[in-house]
Amino acid sequence: SPLADNLDEAMQKLEQIEEIYMRLPNLDCGSCGSPSCKSLAEDIVRGFAQESDCIFRMRERLSQLSEKLSELDNK
C-alpha cells in the first residue's frame, strides 16, 4: 500500500525509511516480528513499530543506560 496520498509526503517517508534502515543491523533475523530490517523500518515510519522492537537496538540502548547508571553510581 502507498506510504501516503501525497507524492511529497511519500518521498519524505521513503527518506525516513532509509535513515532508520541505516541504523538497524541489517541482519534480517525476524526477531522483531518483521521479515526484514527494511520492512521494520517501513513499519516504524507507518507507526506500527518502534526501533526498540529490534533486539539488537534494544540491547545497545540497555548497554548505554547501564553505563550511565554505573557512572552515576561511581560519583
Side-chain angles (χ1 to χ4, degrees), residues 3 13-22 24-29 32 34-46:
L3 291 172
K13 288 185 177 190
L14 273 175
E15 287 178 23
Q16 291 174 333
I17 290 169
E18 287 301 316
E19 289 171 8
I20 293 168
Y21 178 65
M22 298 305 272
L24 296 173
N26 302 307
L27 296 174
D28 299 336
C29 67
C32 62
S34 294
S36 68
C37 291
K38 187 76 161 193
S39 63
L40 175 60
E42 184 176 334
D43 288 345
I44 292 168
V45 169
R46 290 180 183 271

Side-chain angles (χ1 to χ4, degrees), residues 2 11 17 23 27 46 48-49 56 59 62 68 75:
M11 294 302 292
I17 290 169
R23 292 193 301 260
L27 296 174
R46 290 180 183 271
F48 302 135
F56 296 97
R59 190 169 36 182
L62 287 173
K68 286 183 181 181
K75 289 186 177 181

Side-chain angles (χ1 to χ4, degrees), residues 15 24-25 41 47 53 61 74:
E15 287 178 23
L24 296 173
D53 291 342
R61 182 70 179 134
N74 291 330

Side-chain angles (χ1 to χ4, degrees), residues 64-75:
Q64 291 170 351
L65 290 172
S66 177
E67 287 175 15
K68 286 183 181 181
L69 285 173
S70 180
E71 289 173 7
L72 291 173
D73 191 40
N74 291 330
K75 289 186 177 181

